[in-house]
Amino acid sequence: MKKHDEILELLAGFVLGELPQEQAGDVRKHLAGCDKCTVEVKRLRAVLDCAEQMKNKTVDETVFISAREKLIARVESGKGETLTNSKVRRRWIMQSKVAKWAVAAVIIVGVFVGFTMFGGTSSVAWAQVAERVEQVKTSAYHVYIEVRNIPGMDTEKATTMEQNIIESTEYGMRMDMRMGGESSSTIIYVLPADKIVLSIMPDQKKFVEMKLTDELLDQMRKDTYDPKMMIAGFVGDKYIELGRKVIDGIEVEGIESTDPKIGLGMFDDVVGRAWASVETSLPVLIEMEYAQADGMTFKLIMDGFQWDIALDASEFTPVIPDDYEKLADMKMPEMPEMNEKGAVKGLEVLGTIMDGKYPPKMNMMDILKTLNDRSMKEIEALVNTETETTKEVETSKTTDEYMDTMVEDHTAVMGLCMFYMQLIQEDKDPAYYGDRVTPADTDAVLMRWLNDEEGYRVIFGDLSIGDFSPEELGEMEAKLPPLPVE
Amino acid sequence: MSILVFAIYASGVAGLVFWEIILLSSDVFRKLVDEHGRLVLNTAFGVLGDHAGAEDVHQEVFMAIWRNWHTYNGDTKWRGYLYRATIRKAIDHAKRIRRDKGAVKDLQLGVDNRKPDGEMIASQMQDKLRMCIGNLPKRQAEVFVMARIDGLAYDKIGKVLDCSAKTVRVHMHRALKKLAKEFTGAL
Ligand SMILES: [Zn+2]
């Protein structure tokens, strides 16, 4: 028999029904002879009984709706104030934008490089694959992109992106895109006939329309980095045959290349693999991995290929419900100009940003990192002055204006880098001397490439342009300023 | 320019624009309220037993999140987070009922006087229990509400409070003993 004090300790467990049978029996026996404990049990039970009556209470939907309306009204009314006055919040929004922009830029470069690796011709068998693909009128495929350690972002988490794409030579392209970690998707239509690109976000009920210029359309028609025609064997000789295997029940034959040339100078390490069906000579799986010495990695996988499938015009017809909002007044960043003009613009921006110098190498990743570091610092400074300045004093540049300029600058620089990559890809013998030429060097060759008349196009340090024969260029390059001593 | 590279570029730009809109238009926040507002209201109502109090808690919980919106990211487990925040705020409110006890009692008698006696007494008793819960140490109050009013098992409560089921049980027993003392002591 247990003592009264011991039993008293067990009573809470007893009324909650948590005691083992034997202990519960002991308690029951004790209760029969102890008034004090019996009263305690009654009090404990009174609490539980009362709580039991409070269970399962729910409010009516009308209460929820009214509470929600009040809350949203409060948030909306206080929004402006929160945004302009909260330093932390402001900084956060700005930096998120810069980061997002950096991610977008990295992905664009990665994809661009990926598609150029299949540009040349070296193997008869793979040339046939290219030929076969070129005849295809429609295709559908899936793209997976994973980027880690993006310069300027302090997250180790991978940024991922998945796209389901359908393409038709007749109608254009539709892409259903989802960023990793975000539940909402974006649908993008590229419609050459209507000369527009539409981006629709169904979850937000919003859409953006971008106009395609004729110049851009021409460029898109002319160039052939399209996955539909990209398998033509690897550039260079450093590829190996991977032999045959079976993927998803299809017998395939593969090749792998680690030739740095296919990274267009943007990445330190590159591995590319392509598998094509033995039977149809059409691609089944394409994998590409790039790594940077600073730790950034980029992975691109294309699979789920379907070729010459029946695609209806309706699949390329955007459906935008009436209640979707068109973001017409949104300032859209311009498409980077991947031409000589764009290159000059980009160099001009870089010369200004880098205080009378040019970046030593035409490496987009390094350049983007420089740009991002600078943006983060300037945002920090701007947010600080904005908060410290009283309302009567106007700051010279608001954060919004800054953001616009930043995006413009980034776009110009991207145009320059992409143009340069294109020159490499097209074997135009490009060279860049930013490591020794500054904006002050009016007569020094900063960048050059083969023009269409067996001569060279030259951009000088002061960004003037001219055409020269190979001999003239040779003379000019012999007179380049010496490399700065470290 | 490949059509695909271009499309990806366009999506990057669109993403940038949309990102800004998402941040500024409070769409995501609105979605959060839509998705979890009922949980917050019902939980608060369970603890407080009146609509006005539940609505206050609902506002306070979500406003606190909105004020710190920049500190949250895609990893936040909203359901568990909101549930716990709601219980805490509701318990705080239960504490406040205590101070206005007189006023509440008179008001309730006035409102409830058409109800049968039994029910009137029951609602008074529940109010009393609410006050007692508000008076408990924080952790004990949370455990009691989750276990007895929301009917959660100890291991589930442990997950919300980030402790073991055993610890939850200890808190529960302590809470029950204290409540028994205060609750029936005043009856
Ligand atoms: Zn006893």
Side-chain angles (χ1 to χ4, degrees):
Chain A
M1 208 43 189
K2 286 185 174 159
K3 284 185 205 155
H4 168 77
D5 285 354
E6 277 175 66
I7 295 291
L8 200 59
E9 280 305 304
L10 293 175
L11 293 180
F14 177 71
V15 295
L16 286 164
E18 293 167 0
L19 292 187
Q21 243 177 356
E22 201 188 319
Q23 276 190 333
D26 287 349
V27 172
R28 263 186 223 106
K29 270 181 221 152
H30 176 83
L31 285 177
C34 179
D35 288 349
K36 220 175 163 189
C37 285
T38 308
V39 170
E40 180 64 9
V41 166
K42 272 189 188 157
R43 298 165 99 180
L44 290 165
R45 285 218 168 104
V47 171
L48 294 185
D49 289 347
C50 186
E52 190 64 28
Q53 293 165 11
M54 290 157 69
K55 249 183 173 173
N56 298 326
K57 291 208 173 179
T58 54
V59 299
D60 290 342
E61 187 64 12
T62 52
V63 177
F64 167 67
I65 289 167
S66 105
R68 184 187 60 186
E69 290 318 308
K70 275 182 217 162
L71 177 66
I72 295 300
R74 194 168 155 194
V75 165
E76 304 260 283
S77 70
K79 197 173 69 180
E81 194 197 359
T82 336
L83 285 184
T84 47
N85 288 351
S86 159
K87 190 163 140 183
V88 183
R89 190 175 164 74
R90 192 109 184 100
R91 179 189 298 133
W92 174 67
I93 289 173
M94 299 280 287
Q95 295 187 345
S96 305
K97 282 207 251 182
V98 175
K100 193 103 175 175
W101 185 246
V103 173
V106 167
I107 288 173
I108 294 159
V109 177
V111 172
F112 185 84
V113 171
F115 291 157
T116 57
M117 68 187 285
F118 300 97
T121 49
S122 55
S123 144
V124 181
W126 286 85
Q128 188 199 331
V129 173
E131 212 172 283
R132 179 75 187 82
V133 171
E134 217 159 330
Q135 296 158 3
V136 161
K137 293 273 184 286
T138 62
S139 60
Y141 51 96
H142 169 255
V143 180
Y144 173 80
I145 295 165
E146 185 184 290
V147 195
R148 284 178 195 273
N149 302 317
I150 295 170
M153 284 179 79
D154 1 296
T155 168
E156 282 175 20
K157 262 200 309 184
T159 300
T160 60
M161 195 192 236
E162 281 201 69
Q163 297 150 346
N164 284 304
I165 296 161
I166 54 170
E167 265 193 350
S168 147
T169 44
E170 196 180 348
Y171 305 117
M173 172 188 218
R174 193 183 106 181
M175 171 158 96
D176 290 55
M177 185 189 77
R178 194 181 292 269
M179 291 287 287
E182 280 169 33
S183 58
S184 51
S185 61
T186 306
I187 305 163
I188 294 139
Y189 293 89
V190 182
L191 305 169
D194 301 328
K195 293 187 186 178
I196 54 162
V197 173
L198 262 180
S199 299
I200 307 169
M201 259 199 149
D203 280 12
Q204 268 69 35
K205 296 191 173 183
K206 304 226 157 70
F207 69 99
V208 176
E209 196 180 289
M210 294 166 86
K211 292 251 179 324
L212 286 172
T213 61
D214 290 328
E215 198 190 348
L216 250 174
L217 278 167
D218 280 348
Q219 219 177 4
M220 280 164 63
R221 274 187 214 108
K222 195 186 82 191
D223 295 337
T224 56
Y225 308 144
D226 203 278
K228 283 207 313 180
M229 39 200 90
M230 68 185 189
I231 304 239
F234 287 85
V235 177
D237 307 317
K238 292 179 186 168
Y239 76 89
I240 50 165
E241 307 261 353
L242 294 171
R244 290 188 177 188
K245 69 170 182 179
V246 175
I247 300 174
D248 295 333
I250 303 164
E251 190 180 24
V252 293
E253 201 170 274
I255 45 169
E256 178 184 283
S257 174
T258 51
D259 191 338
K261 211 184 155 192
I262 61 178
L264 298 181
M266 295 298 126
F267 297 92
D268 301 319
D269 288 308
V270 192
V271 184
R273 274 175 232 106
W275 301 88
S277 159
V278 172
E279 190 197 336
T280 64
S281 288
L282 285 166
V284 172
L285 172 70
I286 294 163
E287 298 167 292
M288 272 161 282
E289 279 169 52
Y290 324 117
Q292 282 278 85
D294 65 4
M296 192 184 85
T297 59
F298 186 99
K299 197 165 150 185
L300 183 124
I301 298 169
M302 298 176 69
D303 56 10
F305 287 102
Q306 289 173 277
W307 305 98
D308 277 329
I309 44 170
L311 289 175
D312 192 68
S314 66
E315 293 181 79
F316 298 90
T317 311
V319 179
I320 304 171
D322 288 344
D323 60 338
Y324 280 31
E325 184 191 350
K326 181 179 174 176
L327 300 161
D329 50 349
M330 219 62 196
K331 189 174 155 41
M332 295 296 292
E334 297 285 315
M335 182 72 195
E337 280 185 271
M338 273 173 56
N339 52 27
E340 180 185 299
K341 208 174 127 204
V344 170
K345 214 186 209 171
L347 287 167
E348 196 183 339
V349 167
L350 285 171
T352 316
I353 285 172
M354 300 182 71
D355 294 321
K357 276 187 196 160
Y358 291 116
K361 280 184 184 164
M362 189 47 65
N363 181 317
M364 184 149 177
M365 292 302 145
D366 290 349
I367 293 173
L368 277 179
K369 188 171 160 31
T370 310
L371 281 179
N372 271 358
D373 288 351
R374 183 193 68 125
S375 298
M376 291 297 186
K377 266 190 210 126
E378 288 197 6
I379 284 168
E380 193 66 21
L382 260 171
V383 170
N384 283 333
T385 41
E386 251 190 17
T387 336
E388 281 155 24
T389 319
T390 52
K391 272 180 187 167
E392 298 99 70
V393 186
E394 291 262 325
T395 46
S396 58
K397 208 177 181 186
T398 68
T399 45
D400 283 336
E401 281 164 3
Y402 174 72
M403 206 52 219
D404 287 346
T405 330
M406 191 214 86
V407 171
E408 265 170 42
D409 287 358
H410 274 60
T411 307
V413 171
M414 274 172 64
L416 163 69
C417 296
M418 287 164 80
F419 176 60
Y420 197 81
M421 286 191 278
Q422 194 179 26
L423 293 174
I424 299 176
Q425 200 269 331
E426 288 173 355
D427 278 333
K428 292 264 179 82
D429 191 26
Y432 169 79
Y433 302 103
D435 52 357
R436 65 196 90 173
V437 175
T438 70
D441 299 318
T442 43
D443 298 327
V445 179
L446 174 61
M447 185 173 148
R448 51 92 162 153
W449 64 96
L450 275 172
N451 65 17
D452 296 334
E453 289 101 35
E454 290 173 12
Y456 280 88
R457 192 84 177 145
V458 175
I459 301 179
F460 294 96
D462 64 349
L463 303 181
S464 56
I465 303 179
D467 287 305
F468 300 90
S469 70
E471 293 74 31
E472 286 168 320
L473 177 75
E475 274 171 41
M476 287 190 292
E477 289 190 338
K479 284 188 284 183
L480 276 174
L483 275 169
V485 190
E486 286 290 312
Chain B
M1 161 89 27
S2 135
I3 198 166
L4 177 65
V5 175
F6 180 77
I8 289 168
Y9 176 78
S11 64
V13 170
L16 193 78
V17 173
F18 282 131
W19 179 250
E20 182 175 11
I21 290 154
I22 289 163
L23 288 175
L24 302 184
S25 70
S26 65
D27 272 4
V28 175
F29 182 76
R30 200 187 290 258
K31 225 170 130 188
L32 190 74
V33 177
D34 278 350
E35 212 167 301
H36 300 292
R38 285 174 196 83
L39 170 82
V40 170
L41 267 178
N42 286 337
T43 305
F45 187 57
V47 178
L48 295 171
D50 78 311
H51 286 139
E55 255 190 63
D56 284 350
V57 170
H58 177 264
Q59 287 246 341
E60 282 171 30
V61 165
F62 280 113
M63 280 313 288
I65 288 171
W66 177 244
R67 274 192 290 272
N68 293 297
W69 198 220
H70 61 277
T71 62
Y72 301 98
N73 57 39
D75 295 337
T76 308
K77 305 264 183 290
W78 285 112
R79 208 183 146 77
Y81 180 87
L82 281 166
Y83 179 64
R84 189 173 180 190
T86 305
I87 297 246
R88 281 185 171 173
K89 279 267 188 305
I91 290 167
D92 272 357
H93 270 250
K95 219 176 271 177
R96 259 175 265 159
I97 302 180
R98 191 168 179 252
R99 267 182 260 132
D100 326 321
K101 171 64 188 158
V104 170
K105 203 172 171 183
D106 291 346
L107 190 74
Q108 285 219 330
L109 285 172
V111 173
D112 289 353
N113 58 7
R114 270 165 299 176
K115 285 183 186 171
D117 274 3
E119 204 169 318
M120 191 173 77
I121 290 165
S123 86
Q124 274 179 294
M125 276 173 60
Q126 287 169 18
D127 255 7
K128 173 68 190 166
L129 182 59
R130 286 182 183 109
M131 288 182 272
C132 296
I133 292 170
N135 220 21
L136 286 174
K138 255 185 200 165
R139 194 45 84 87
Q140 291 177 23
E142 283 172 32
V143 167
F144 185 85
V145 168
M146 290 180 195
R148 304 314 302 183
I149 297 177
D150 290 342
L152 295 188
Y154 289 167
D155 58 338
K156 276 205 177 155
I157 297 173
K159 262 180 206 155
V160 177
L161 298 179
D162 202 21
C163 62
S164 70
K166 219 171 164 184
T167 310
V168 172
R169 185 169 177 268
V170 170
H171 284 307
M172 178 65 207
H173 284 204
R174 285 187 190 151
L176 183 55
K177 279 180 206 167
K178 274 196 195 122
L179 285 175
K181 211 166 169 187
E182 255 200 77
F183 180 60
T184 49
L187 277 184

